Amino acid sequence: MEINDKLMTVVAVAIIGAGPSGLATAACLRAKHFIHNFVIFEKEDCCASLWRRRAYDRLHLHLAKRYCALPYKPHSWKASNFLSKDDFINYIDEYVSHFKIKPRYSHCVTKASYEEDISLWKIDVFNAITEKTISYLARFLVVATGENNDPYIPRYLSGFEGAVHSSEYKSGEMYRGMDVLVVGAGNSGFEISYDLANHGARASIVVRSPVHVVSRNMVEVAMWLLRYIPVWIVDLFVTFATRLKFGDLSRYGIARPSKGPFHLKLKTGRSSTIDVGTVGQIKKGNIKVFPAISKVEGKVVEFIDGTRTAFDAMILSTGYKSSACQWLQSYGCILNDNGLPKEDPPLVWKGGNGIYFVGFSSRGLPGISQDALNVAADIDQQLSETENET
């Protein structure tokens, strides 16, 4: 393949995605001496679109602010310990301004492939404003679209009349007086159930498998302890604290996993569920707990225990899936069919031929920050070695 500068723009680094992962990477690259020539593509018309447009109103960060700052810019001491959605969006805007990051909005990557003959990545980008496709060449490709791109909707639930994904949910106000089933017992499922109950809806939640339910303060203390003592000891502390605070939740249909919460996080990437008041509403009977769903017929849901119940609405807190497989060519050697890197932690951030992944470590904002620092340092080292050779 020959390079024609009139047809292609050549850059050192191409970053795909202007969410926290892409922005953190851009800031880390800007801080390095040898990295001056990079570009960041974002298919939406703003940065952090998941936070701006697909997050419910009462959302707060589940980790304390000390663990949720992106590289080189801590949160203000005036900020609350657990930031609201709006506070975090303001922080992101300040971050973009502070580091003079200029994403190319409305630029959707349609194809990225590694060109063996020139040892560069070829990236085709559709500009939604001009409605033209432009090709770029980059020595390094940073996939910063993260794990949460497209809403995941299990096929057997799509037949429910009126089912919506949690990305479309804003507030329980519009569900007042309705029977609403929330599917999914993760953080969004628990918090949306609580929000529904507070707005006068008759809320129910599906808890399909065992889950650790903890408080924000427990997690904050545990993350501090993990710096000094082994995971298994921290898990003993957290499980003891949860028993004291919540009691035996199996009486209400919520079983606890046999393995500890942080052991599971490290081994599987699965997080504990943060309680924001949901457990109290469950104990009061304001939120019902159901087991896994076996069948959906119209607005009637049948559960594995044989119970059949009609609902007015269903909120699917079933998570997201990566979209990287849709545009990254010949991804089989580096991504699985779910669009996630095949490499095991802690090297999940680095692939071959100059490709990197930021925000794929299942460690939230702390993982994003560490990935971005690692990627920038690795690219900087390679560029400095090239500079020394010339």
Side-chain angles (χ1 to χ4, degrees), residues 218 237-248 256 283:
M218 288 179 195
F237 161 75
V238 174
T239 51
F240 177 72
T242 58
R243 289 191 185 97
L244 287 179
K245 183 174 179 63
F246 302 120
D248 182 10
R256 179 185 289 116
K283 289 181 176 180

Side-chain angles (χ1 to χ4, degrees), residues 157-183:
L157 296 177
S158 60
F160 184 92
E161 300 173 9
V164 298
H165 192 266
S166 58
S167 59
E168 300 179 53
Y169 178 90
K170 295 302 178 185
S171 168
E173 180 60 37
M174 66 179 293
Y175 297 96
R176 186 179 297 276
M178 298 172 64
D179 291 296
V180 186
L181 178 65
V182 179
V183 181

Side-chain angles (χ1 to χ4, degrees), residues 56 58 62 166 169 182-198 203-209 211-214 246 249 252-255 272-282 287-289 317:
Y56 43 91
R58 64 159 288 119
H62 296 115
S166 58
Y169 178 90
V182 179
V183 181
N187 287 322
S188 62
F190 254 51
E191 191 159 8
I192 287 173
S193 299
Y194 179 72
D195 189 54
L196 287 165
N198 284 352
S204 299
I205 185 170
V206 172
V207 181
R208 187 178 63 175
S209 55
V211 60
H212 284 288
V213 180
V214 298
F246 302 120
L249 294 181
Y252 303 93
I254 305 174
S272 300
T273 296
I274 306 291
D275 177 61
V276 294
T278 311
V279 170
Q281 293 283 23
I282 290 172
I287 299 176
K288 295 181 180 179
V289 177
S317 296

